[in-house]
């Protein structure tokens, strides 16, 4: 089996290229109650049945008026009041008339603007006077009917993940349920003779299988359904049987066994199942041994994509966030799938590496004016304690061996 180790950008491009192909045909769909839609993906656009707003809405407490009437020495007659939750039932506003109005209330017919309550006063004669020589433009403090969206318009496209803004928009359209894509099913197989499951007492030389939990957590937060399988031993025949049994998943995630050691047998097991490998490593640190490819499903002509993730837990997470998450989003029918980076200023000097792009556990901190990022001291890619102190990964591109405090860098947020 030939090795194919790609630069970070090339590896990501390769994943995105395959992700674009798995997005078609779109996954199956199912109706889901709006309250259960968080993190799921819209299978069809949300359209608004009514104009939004459904009536010309006042954005202020004040007086609905004809803007041309507003001038210093011109008193206006107050015809009544309208508040949110009702509509003005009197006759349309005409010259030198005003209706007291509350924020969110429909602007009465005839009025074209709202004078803010702060800019008006009521004289002893009961007439409204404008303060301080103010004037008013037509449309001021009014959102016209349909200005946000016209009845029938698409307000959320298909392929969008339902987060709070999408759920708010759907609710404002009266949608108690949405048609969503079915969740992709991810099979997770951790490999390694050193692993024990939670609930089993480890011998001093054994460790708990934490990667299966980490991968399930990340997959679920990407909207997938995750199946944590029992751990697989570093025994070629058994590994091959386990991978063959899992090959009908939407995505297969393997942890461990992809490095150069004598007992790193995952690639061999996959090769014996006639896997196609797209890359067998990426010039990143941590995570260099990552493997990406696909194996044939039982159903002819269909493929299951797999990632072989290095077993060290920080490598596992970095590889998930960089490569697995985009693939999962695509399998779930999302259109925005690429990892997103933010920019921050390095708080301290950091050592880079000439050959690999580094993704180091880091803390993004600071306030809204300045975002800085500080690398968390760590013992390497097995250091889950350091990882748990971080809230993201600072990106140090290859080719530079030193990044100075104050330099602007990219951060992959969790
Ligand atoms: P490997 O990629 O199989 O060489 O694993 C590298 C190291 O990662 C192992 O020596 C373990 O310390 C750790 N490791 C592997 N698999 C897991 C796992 N499922 N959970 C936690 N740590 C793991
Ligand atoms: Mg191993």
């Amino acid at each position: 089996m030939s090795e194919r180790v790609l630069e970070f950008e090339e590896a990501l491009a390769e994943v995105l290229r395959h992700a674009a192909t798995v997005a078609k045909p779109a996954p199956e769909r199912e109706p889901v109650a709006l309250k259960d839609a968080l993190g799921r993906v819209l299978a069809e656009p949300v359209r608004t049945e009514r104009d939004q707003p459904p009536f010309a809405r006042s954005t202020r407490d004040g007086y609905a008026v004809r803007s041309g009437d507003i001038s210093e020495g011109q008193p206006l007659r107050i015809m009544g009041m309208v508040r949110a939750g009702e509509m003005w039932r009197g006759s349309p506003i005409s010259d030198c008339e005003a209706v007291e109005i509350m924020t969110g209330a429909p602007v009465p017919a005839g009025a074209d603007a709202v004078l803010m309550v702060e800019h008006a006063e009521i004289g002893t004669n009961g007439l409204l006077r404008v303060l301080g020589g103010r004037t008013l433009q037509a449309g001021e403090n009014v959102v016209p009917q349909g200005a946000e969206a016209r009845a029938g318009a698409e307000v959320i496209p298909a392929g969008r993940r339902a987060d709070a803004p999408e759920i708010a928009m759907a609710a404002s359209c009266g949608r108690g349920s949405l048609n969503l894509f079915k969740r992709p099913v991810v099979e997770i197989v951790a490999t390694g003779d050193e692993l024990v499951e939670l609930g089993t007492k480890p011998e001093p030389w054994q460790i708990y299988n934490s990667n299966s939990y980490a991968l399930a957590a990340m997959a679920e937060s990407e909207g997938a359904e995750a199946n944590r399988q029992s751990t697989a031993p570093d025994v070629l025949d058994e590994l091959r049987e386990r991978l063959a049994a899992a090959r009908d998943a939407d995505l297969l995630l393997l942890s461990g066994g992809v490095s150069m050691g004598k007992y790193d047998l995952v690639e061999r097991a996959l090769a014996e199942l006639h896997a196609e490998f797209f890359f067998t490593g990426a010039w990143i640190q941590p995570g260099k041994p990552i493997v990406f490819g696909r194996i044939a499903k039982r159903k002819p002509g269909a493929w299951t994509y797999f990632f072989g993730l290095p077993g060290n837990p920080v490598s596992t997470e970095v590889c998930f966030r960089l490569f697995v998450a985009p693939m999962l989003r695509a399998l779930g029918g999302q259109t925005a799938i690429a990892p997103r980076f933010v920019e921050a200023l390095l708080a301290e000097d950091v050592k880079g590496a000439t050959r690999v792009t580094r993704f180091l556990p880091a803390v993004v901190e600071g306030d809204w004016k300045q975002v800085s990022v500080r690398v968390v001291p760590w013992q390497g890619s097995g250091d889950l304690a350091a990882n748990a102190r971080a809230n993201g990964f600072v990106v140090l591109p290859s080719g530079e061996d030193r990044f100075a405090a104050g330099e602007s860098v990219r951060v992959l947020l969790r």
Side-chain angles (χ1 to χ4, degrees), residues 150-310:
R150 283 286 175 200
E154 176 179 308
V155 285
I156 318 173
R160 183 83 130 255
R161 178 184 154 115
D163 282 307
E166 289 76 19
I167 288 172
M169 188 69 233
S172 83
C173 294
R175 296 290 301 269
S177 93
L178 294 172
N179 281 321
L180 303 178
F181 288 128
K182 287 196 171 163
R183 299 170 191 271
V185 177
V186 180
E187 294 292 336
I188 297 168
V189 182
T191 72
D193 287 340
E194 72 278 35
L195 303 177
V196 298
E197 290 298 353
L198 300 189
T200 308
K201 192 175 168 349
E203 299 294 344
W205 54 89
Q206 294 179 313
I207 60 171
Y208 286 117
N209 168 17
S210 62
N211 282 347
S212 290
Y213 286 88
L215 289 169
M218 291 187 285
E220 280 168 8
S221 62
E222 291 297 344
E225 192 183 309
N227 285 334
R228 273 186 297 104
Q229 298 197 5
S230 56
T231 58
D234 295 318
V235 176
L236 186 60
D237 290 349
E238 275 194 56
L239 263 180
R240 195 183 51 238
E241 293 319 307
R242 292 290 303 277
L243 302 187
R247 71 175 185 267
D248 287 328
D250 290 314
L251 187 67
L252 185 50
L253 295 183
L254 313 166
S255 128
V258 288
S259 304
M260 303 298 284
K262 258 193 188 150
Y263 296 97
D264 291 325
L265 302 168
V266 165
E267 275 173 74
R268 263 174 64 191
L270 286 163
E272 290 185 8
L273 293 169
H274 310 290
E276 188 180 341
F277 292 89
F278 303 124
F279 57 79
T280 58
W283 293 107
I284 59 173
Q285 197 241 338
K288 180 173 171 283
I290 184 175
V291 175
F292 173 49
R294 62 183 186 181
I295 48 176
K297 281 190 161 85
R298 265 170 278 243
K299 184 177 148 206
W303 296 92
T304 293
Y305 283 80
F306 63 79
F307 287 93
L309 305 163

